[in-house]
């Protein structure tokens, strides 16, 4: 940490701050500037937010952290990229892109089977589908719950595709884990630390979605919650952040791909469906994501978007998805990967 | 809902959309414009997000909702303000302002008792203190948990002040409810719907904090989750939203006070501590909140901010809090209220 | 500046950075940390953004500025508040609040005279009115231009109220200055540096509005452009920033009042009309602004808002303005000021 | 426009609003809903913001615009993409991508010539370089002004590359136009309408940058200012918007590419340098932009970024630029274009 003293802070104030820094287990190192002094507090500051409290001391202007606060998620601790095993022969984070596709919500046996077969044929390698739906309105469809999980399992059996589905309540972790191959944490739960800790104790891959107002640093801290409990199979998912722009549902922060790649070894997945909110924007954003260097996509596909129980406007029809996958393969190749 | 057709949409497309509107239980009503047609779908659209899926139909440009999606939280359903009873003789939402004060985290018996006595003497009527702390970093202090709840109960006994404390995990609702007089939902859990539903089934007042990127409308939908389960003692709390500005921890959306007052009958509380992140900004923001017409404040007070386990920089010292309360009483009087 | 070296940066890289720091006229001061080194560059860094370029050197992770980049606007240079003289006996920044009121646009002699008399009677001490209107659409009313300035002058003559009006084009500075008592810079021009420099050479007070996405620091840098040219009569105006929230036109950043008061000696004015976009929110936001410690308000008042050529929905009717001013006087008194 | 009446608005209020709609030249068309009425105002509403003022009438809840407010920029008026001619044989908006490259600021003859030769050799077809620099700080380097323009012209002569440079003051339009092949409007001037109008009267292509907080719709309205004056050679440039995220200088709104392509016929250029603020993020964002379907890039290249007078950290070295261009060509090919 760097502690910036106020212009005009007294010698006594400086001495008090240095004393307090030592009490907290750091070594103070003063730089005498032209108009003010700054103090470097040498020591491992990660996780010790308590240094921030020095801002309350007389004569202190502000406290500037220097180290990144995450460890296990950091490239400094583990420089080589992590490859997350989903199922035998299916890995995320290596040379092969993963495409997870399927409806926002599981709605019926017919719907999920039709979609599963369609997305598999187009090259998807994981089936997505929501059984527990976190909906803004208590009056909206809340998902088929365990019945939905059973239908997903049925579709897995029929197609061989591993399944990813969201868990929203710590109470349901065990239940969802009985069915899912990948546990999904939605944007609204990115700082649901109770849920993250439980997922950290599972032996299952986790897809962690960034929240609408989550900074990259906070996002990695949430991943750290899972990693710190022992589960190292964590994938990060950028799905759009909230900005002033209303032409899209959210704003896809495409630069999160190289930024995350620079800071963490964890794989990075892009969700172009929630990011844009409009099906016609999904293909171009998928191409962009692949060109930017992501490790995979999670895409909403529905056989009849105009009748979907949720997120219809952002769902591709199977034929649109098929067309997109062809083009995607070409972009992936230039990016040095394959589908 | 208003369905806006594309310029150049065909008669057949218009007919298809009208047909689908009828299937969904609404009456279509077409307005033939100069360059395009729009269709009003007449019927109660609240909670039926399914109409939004019409955007996927050929010829449809976009779908514009007209009605507010909440009911029980709405002033249209209940025009008179709700008064929430906290304890015998202590009501929120009437002529008397409530001031909840105390440390971010309960840290020790001495700390919570010292603070409780101090804030009571200055005129606070509720004691705040965190026992379960949602922290960005897994390495930060996570709260004293049940031990903290017991210390809060001790402080209540010693001072007579009812206590408010946060619950972060649906699993802990029962435990926290055994101790707390007001259940607090933090900003990170504003869309933790599993938690909201459980709180809706309690017979306890709930303080619901707005999330960092929660719109007013989403905020009221989250309140609706609690109300819809039967618990009508809900208080809303604005605590700053996330913007580009970094001079403050968050940006206090002070206009949320009159906006909420216009749309809902629920009481509105302001948290100037989390909103600003700096103790020296808390008094002026408290005055502003009262002048804007809020029903109360929740303020962080700590006897030794420079040693606080969390949120030291934004905590007032007891003497600072006492000075603020005096001035606050004067502003409250002009606003037609008393402390 | 603090230069943070990468973990694993070599001795040679450190030496190169130190050398470059010296070349740029600073003294390097290395702190050897546990996992990385940081270098303090001692010297007056203000305005020399060139240090930031060190980020391009091998082994450098990032560069953290320590000093505030403004000087003349800073409280460190001039601790006591500036009082800006508008007209004989009319000062902004002292014990007396200023209220500037009037229509968004000057539309006719009748309209501006009627408004001027009305706002004067209610206690306003400056008349506002736009003659050059920066409008988002080229097809919207663009203002009456010089004709509008003449009508403002007429209203000044009739009422004795000094007038404030916006200038949008450096070319028009001289023209507007012939009529106006205060030159207003609108939010869209907060970084129109050519305009700011010209205003800095005038002998007229300037009201500088914050832009929709301007940080506090950038805002003060824009003020610095005016101050650096010699004109010290600068007033700052917060008028709402752009956020994700759409319930209000902008989000009034009320905490900008104490933040600015802490960093600069310049007076701070609040514009609750543009901040909220809705007339019914203007009174409560005006009260909040006064309670927060601002030096004045600029408020839109129109005799017939439903017929206004611009910004009707956010304009108060004269009777509403009169009622607000009464209450405002009471809040001002508690805040230690008078109207 | 759709005028939404309040629940409980009276018949008389409805009649008054209908009357006012007719006075303004529209035909009112009432839809009687279950809980409230809405009125469609039929007529060409574009540019007539005056309808918005109906919000001030008793009984009106709010006014919802339906039509896009721009005309000449719209795909509805001109469905086929516009191809902008820069120089003989150099067109933007067709099958060939344009890459504009060069330093942020022109600093010396040697610097601009070295850069111009280097970027040409790597395949850039336009040379960029700033002579008038809008800088946040009045103490920062403000550009070489006319001297810089002359050096740009020299570099054009030496390499044959057309030049793009920024104009910030309406007063300088004529001067800059004497040298530049493309007139650049920077983000800070996106709503400098005086400047836009003057550029609309020129016979020169204009590159209009989106502002940090400019919505897509406002961006197109700014383009409309230029088009409406007669100049149809307008190119749009997305360069990052301001969000809460600080890991990048701005957040590249990559979805602006397909959104703009859907709404306007004007070419879309991406500036990955200002969007990210870090040179190491520029290549991946350039690839993403091309995959997303943009018509070109504008990229900062500097022979010695660590010594640049401005924007060093985001400037590529010539060798880095050369490597990027090779990969870019491959992505462009998949996107159906060539460099």
């Amino acid at each position: 940490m760097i502690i910036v003293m106020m212009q005009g802070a007294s010698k006594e104030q400086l001495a008090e701050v240095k004393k307090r820094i030592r009490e907290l287990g750091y070594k103070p190192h003063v730089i005498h500037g032209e108009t003010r002094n700054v103090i470097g507090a040498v020591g491992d500051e990660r996780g010790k937010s308590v240094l921030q409290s020095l801002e309350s001391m007389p004569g202190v202007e502000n406290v500037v952290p220097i180290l990144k606060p995450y460890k296990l998620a950091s490239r400094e601790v583990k420089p080589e990229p992590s490859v997350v095993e989903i199922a035998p022969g299916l890995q995320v984070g290596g040379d092969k892109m993963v495409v997870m596709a399927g409806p926002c919500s599981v709605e019926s046996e017919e719907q999920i089977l039709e979609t599963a077969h369609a997305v598999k044929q187009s090259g998807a390698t994981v089936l997505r589908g929501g059984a527990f739906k976190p909906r803004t309105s208590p009056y909206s469809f809340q998902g088929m719950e365990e019945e939905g999980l059973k239908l997903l399992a049925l579709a897995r059996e029929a197609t061989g595709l591993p399944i990813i589905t969201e868990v929203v309540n710590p109470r349901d972790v065990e239940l969802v884990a009985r069915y899912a191959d990948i546990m999904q944490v939605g944007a609204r739960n990115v700082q649901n630390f109770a849920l993250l800790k439980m997922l950290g104790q599972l032996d299952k891959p986790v897809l962690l979605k960034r929240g609408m107002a989550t900074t990259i640093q906070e996002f990695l801290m949430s991943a750290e919650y899972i990693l710190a409990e022992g589960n190292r199979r964590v994938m990060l998912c950028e799905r759009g952040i909230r900005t002033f722009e209303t032409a899209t549902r959210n704003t896809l922060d495409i630069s999160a791909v190289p930024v995350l790649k620079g800071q963490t070894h964890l794989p990075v997945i892009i969700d172009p469906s929630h990011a844009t909110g409009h099906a016609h924007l999904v293909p171009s954003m998928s191409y962009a994501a692949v060109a930017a260097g992501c490790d995979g996509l999670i895409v909403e596909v529905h056989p009849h978007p105009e009748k979907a129980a949720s997120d219809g406007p952002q769902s591709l029809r199977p034929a649109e998805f098929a067309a997109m996958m062809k083009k995607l393969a070409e972009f992936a190749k230039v990016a040095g990967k394959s589908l």
Side-chain angles (χ1 to χ4, degrees), chain A:
Chain A
M1 295 258 175
I2 299 291
I3 292 89
V4 182
M5 300 298 291
M6 286 176 183
Q7 186 174 358
S10 69
K11 272 189 189 175
E12 290 69 26
Q13 290 173 335
L14 187 69
E16 278 300 310
V17 174
K18 284 170 67 178
K19 189 178 148 210
R20 181 78 187 134
I21 288 171
R22 277 196 209 92
E23 282 172 19
L24 291 167
Y26 299 82
K27 268 171 53 187
H29 188 120
V30 182
I31 302 177
H32 297 282
E34 290 191 357
T35 60
R36 70 187 66 219
N37 297 320
V38 307
I39 313 176
V42 174
D44 189 342
E45 73 201 33
R46 286 175 292 192
K48 299 179 189 160
S49 59
V50 96
L51 260 181
Q52 205 72 43
S53 292
L54 295 179
E55 270 185 31
S56 302
M57 294 189 74
V60 173
E61 180 150 316
N62 64 325
V63 175
V64 183
I66 294 296
L67 289 197
K68 301 279 192 307
Y70 43 87
K71 300 178 195 174
L72 301 171
S74 166
R75 258 201 191 279
E76 294 183 353
V77 167
K78 178 173 182 295
E80 71 284 359
S82 286
V83 174
V84 172
E85 174 131 351
I86 304 301
L90 181 56
Q91 296 179 322
V92 178
D95 292 343
K96 233 170 128 50
M97 296 264 312
V98 66
V99 178
M100 314 180 184
C104 179
S105 304
V106 181
E107 294 167 9
S108 70
E109 183 178 329
E110 192 193 352
Q111 174 240 25
I112 193 68
L113 284 177
E114 183 181 346
T115 313
H117 284 295
V119 301
K120 187 186 179 183
Q121 200 172 342
S122 300
T125 47
V126 175
L127 176 66
R128 65 151 288 156
F132 293 91
K133 299 301 307 170
R135 302 302 300 277
T136 303
S137 167
Y139 310 122
S140 295
F141 174 61
Q142 307 269 321
M144 294 180 75
E145 308 198 347
E146 187 167 4
E147 190 55 30
L149 296 174
K150 285 180 182 166
L151 293 179
L152 282 169
L154 198 71
R156 171 173 50 197
E157 220 171 302
T159 60
L161 292 177
I163 56 183
I164 177 170
T165 197
E166 183 170 353
V167 57
V168 298
N169 190 336
R171 192 194 57 193
D172 300 326
V173 165
E174 213 180 314
L175 171 67
V176 174
R178 277 209 298 280
Y179 293 92
D181 299 289
I182 307 173
M183 307 291 282
Q184 180 182 322
V185 181
R188 290 172 178 83
N189 286 307
V190 69
Q191 293 193 319
N192 186 333
F193 302 121
L195 184 64
L196 299 182
K197 282 181 194 169
M198 286 190 68
L199 294 172
Q201 292 157 10
L202 278 188
D203 182 23
K204 284 263 176 195
V206 176
L207 181 87
L208 176 66
K209 286 196 164 185
R210 183 182 183 184
M212 286 190 297
T214 308
T215 63
I216 295 284
Q217 182 164 308
E218 288 168 347
F219 191 20
L220 289 172
M221 292 307 289
S222 287
E224 190 88 5
Y225 263 95
I226 304 174
L227 297 166
E229 295 287 328
N231 187 350
R232 302 300 164 97
R233 288 196 282 166
V234 177
M235 297 171 281
L236 303 171
C237 179
E238 154 65 25
R239 42 73 74 202
I241 56 175
R242 185 160 269 179
T243 70
F244 63 84
E245 179 57 66
T246 57
T248 42
R249 184 173 176 180
N250 295 285
T251 297
L252 177 62
D253 179 7
I254 189 83
S255 55
V257 176
V259 169
L260 285 169
K261 288 282 173 188
Q263 299 188 7
T264 183
H265 49 85
L266 300 171
V268 179
I269 308 295
I270 293 288
D271 176 348
S273 308
H274 284 87
T276 61
H278 298 285
H280 71 277
L281 302 174
V282 168
S284 55
M285 290 303 94
S286 298
Y287 307 152
V290 168
C294 75
D295 297 295
L297 300 172
I298 179 163
V299 181
E300 292 194 347
V301 178
H302 194 289
H304 309 287
E306 69 280 6
K307 298 189 177 172
S310 59
D311 283 353
Q314 72 195 33
S315 298
L316 292 174
R317 289 179 171 83
E320 295 164 337
F321 178 68
M324 178 181 102
M325 288 294 280
K326 277 198 191 133
K327 197 84 191 164
L328 203 64
E330 296 181 53
F331 280 112
K333 202 176 158 195
V334 178
K337 301 203 174 168
S338 65
L339 282 194

